[in-house]
Amino acid sequence: MNVLNVLYAAFLGIVEGITEWLPISSTGHMILVNEFFSGADAFFRTDVFLYVIQLGAILAIVTMYFKKLNPFALSKSREEKQDTWQMWFKVIIACLPAAIIGLLLNDFMENFENPWVISATLILYGVGFILAERRQKPAQVTSIKDLSYKTAILIGAFQVLSIIPGTSRSGATILGAIILGCSRGIAAEFSFFLAVPVMFGVSALKLVTNDYAMNSAEWVLLAVAMVVAYVVSMLAVKLLTGYVKKHDFKVFGWYRIILAIFVLLYFSIQMFGLI
């Protein structure tokens, strides 16, 4: 097996683990990284790799929040178990818009996986975060228990926007939750929980519908990327949850804008044959 491919798979695992949970677009970053390293194996640009690698990141959430996500935990009281079921009902309801619209538009949106669309959405949601933080009022929802079903499905409507490359699933849901009156911590946490069924569903869909037949070496590369994404995701989630306790999301808005400008400059210069 090519050692460089293993190292590149690990590198993409790091990118996935960091960007999946920060509101900066993991898929957008993965596509851009593959554009910059265009000489890498074509397998790293397939849908089956770009989406199934997310299973490593989602397993990190399941591990970290297992007790909170588990309605059967013996250590929970009857009321706590009921609250957990209520949380899952809110998650499922919030996933419905993405499940319906995402399935309908899945193949069509793949036509927009290019640096120009990604740059535009990076800027759009970067500005959105900056404006939302500047205008934010005191949070009305400070726990998932306080989150109404109406707010949950509206957050789910924001999640639909993530089918556009460069948007960021976590970015769309966190921004939507903040606009709808959720605290930053609850916005981030609910976004994590929404990811569990959504990302499992998307990964399963790509495995079932994709006609790319992986060989044994590619399965190993995917496994390497997923394991690295799992470990790095744990660190990224801890970083984000700790960060939002004391800071706002404007820094991620500025990051998105700066990255988009860099990408536009790079690919504009490349288009005119200057590099």
Side-chain angles (χ1 to χ4, degrees), residues 1-9 39-41 44 217-218 220-221 224:
M1 182 181 296
N2 190 321
V3 176
L4 288 178
N5 279 344
V6 175
L7 292 175
Y8 190 60
D41 195 286
F44 296 116
E218 290 170 338
V220 172
L221 293 175
V224 168

Side-chain angles (χ1 to χ4, degrees), residues 234-247:
M234 287 192 169
L235 299 175
V237 168
K238 288 181 179 179
L239 171 67
L240 181 60
T241 53
Y243 178 86
V244 297
K245 291 178 181 178
K246 299 179 180 180
H247 306 87

Side-chain angles (χ1 to χ4, degrees), residues 6-197:
V6 175
L7 292 175
Y8 190 60
F11 174 66
L12 289 177
I14 293 173
V15 174
E16 167 64 21
I18 293 174
T19 60
E20 184 61 55
W21 308 113
L22 305 184
I24 53 178
S25 178
S26 62
T27 303
H29 276 75
M30 297 284 279
I31 293 171
L32 292 174
V33 167
N34 279 323
E35 286 281 352
F36 289 130
F37 295 94
S38 57
D41 195 286
F43 169 63
F44 296 116
R45 292 187 290 278
T46 62
D47 280 352
V48 69
F49 180 86
L50 290 174
Y51 288 94
V52 178
I53 187 180
Q54 296 176 341
L55 286 176
I58 195 60
L59 287 174
I61 291 296
V62 174
T63 301
M64 296 177 71
Y65 290 93
F66 184 75
K67 182 178 179 180
K68 185 171 285 191
L69 292 169
N70 181 14
F72 304 106
L74 297 177
S75 60
K76 288 184 176 180
S77 66
R78 183 177 179 180
E79 183 181 353
E80 288 173 329
K81 290 179 180 179
Q82 290 176 340
D83 289 341
T84 304
W85 280 116
Q86 289 293 320
M87 180 272 292
W88 272 113
F89 292 147
K90 292 171 186 177
V91 167
I92 292 170
I93 286 175
C95 288
L96 291 178
I100 297 170
I101 299 176
L103 284 173
L104 292 175
L105 298 179
N106 177 63
D107 294 335
F108 174 72
M109 295 312 299
E110 290 179 358
N111 298 319
F112 298 93
E113 291 182 353
N114 61 71
W116 316 109
V117 172
I118 293 172
S119 297
T121 51
L122 282 171
I123 292 173
L124 178 63
Y125 287 92
V127 172
F129 269 109
I130 294 169
L131 293 179
E133 287 289 5
R134 286 181 176 176
R135 299 177 180 180
Q136 189 186 26
K137 299 177 182 179
Q140 299 173 330
V141 180
T142 56
S143 72
I144 291 182
K145 187 176 181 178
D146 296 333
L147 187 72
S148 69
Y149 284 96
K150 177 182 177 181
T151 301
I153 198 166
L154 288 174
I155 293 173
F158 275 93
Q159 184 172 236
V160 172
L161 299 172
S162 65
I163 64 175
I164 304 172
T167 295
S168 168
R169 190 206 58 80
S170 62
T173 52
I174 289 173
L175 181 59
I178 289 175
I179 291 172
L180 293 168
C182 296
S183 67
R184 299 184 187 96
I186 293 303
E189 189 171 276
F190 194 64
S191 174
F192 297 159
F193 297 164
L194 278 181
V196 175

Side-chain angles (χ1 to χ4, degrees), residues 211-253:
D211 56 3
Y212 185 90
M214 291 191 294
N215 57 41
S216 58
E218 290 170 338
W219 277 108
V220 172
L221 293 175
L222 180 58
V224 168
M226 287 174 59
V227 170
V228 173
Y230 174 84
V231 175
V232 176
S233 286
M234 287 192 169
L235 299 175
V237 168
K238 288 181 179 179
L239 171 67
L240 181 60
T241 53
Y243 178 86
V244 297
K245 291 178 181 178
K246 299 179 180 180
H247 306 87
D248 59 32
F249 284 99
K250 286 202 290 281
V251 65
F252 298 110

